């Protein structure tokens, strides 16, 4: 399975599996330590959840830890901040 993350805004990503949006990754908290959460959009039975999901939502201390858990997905940054107006 190939995961990827597409940044929507600082601290918010779409979670894609084989090019299809299946969930989100978000950063909680206004100050460190942050909590990063990977969450599926659908409440699928455990047997139908994509690996490594065992529950609908998993929490991590860092985005790097979350990415390692997902198998080091490609992360696409939001380019709007670098575009000139």
């Amino acid at each position: 399975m190939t995961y990827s993350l597409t940044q929507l805004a600082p601290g918010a990503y779409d979670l894609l599996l084989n090019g299809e949006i299946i969930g989100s990754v978000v950063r909680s908290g206004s100050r460190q330590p942050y909590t990063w959460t990977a969450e599926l959009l659908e409440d699928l039975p455990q047997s139908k959840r994509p690996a490594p999901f065992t529950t609908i939502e998993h929490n991590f201390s860092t985005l790097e830890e979350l990415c390692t858990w997902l198998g080091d997905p490609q992360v696409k940054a939001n380019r709007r901040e670098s575009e000139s107006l």
Side-chain angles (χ1 to χ4, degrees):
M1 292 186 206
T2 303
Y3 287 101
S4 61
L5 299 175
T6 301
Q7 186 177 33
L8 303 172
Y13 297 83
D14 276 340
L15 173 61
L16 293 86
L17 177 61
N18 299 323
E20 182 179 333
I21 297 173
I22 62 153
S24 62
V25 169
V26 294
R27 180 183 67 203
S28 303
S30 58
R31 297 184 203 170
Q32 292 185 1
Y34 301 118
T35 298
W36 287 89
T37 303
E39 182 176 12
L40 295 173
L41 293 176
E42 292 187 56
D43 187 3
L44 299 170
Q46 188 170 357
S47 63
K48 296 193 180 212
R49 293 179 192 144
F53 284 89
T54 56
T55 62
I56 300 301
E57 187 177 288
H58 291 269
N59 295 314
F60 300 88
S61 299
T62 66
L63 180 59
E64 292 78 16
E65 182 182 330
L66 188 152
C67 287
T68 298
W69 178 74
L70 288 173
D72 297 316
Q74 177 184 14
V75 179
K76 298 175 187 171
N78 182 341
R79 301 280 182 226
R80 288 186 212 168
E81 295 172 5
S82 63
E83 293 177 5
S84 59
L85 298 175

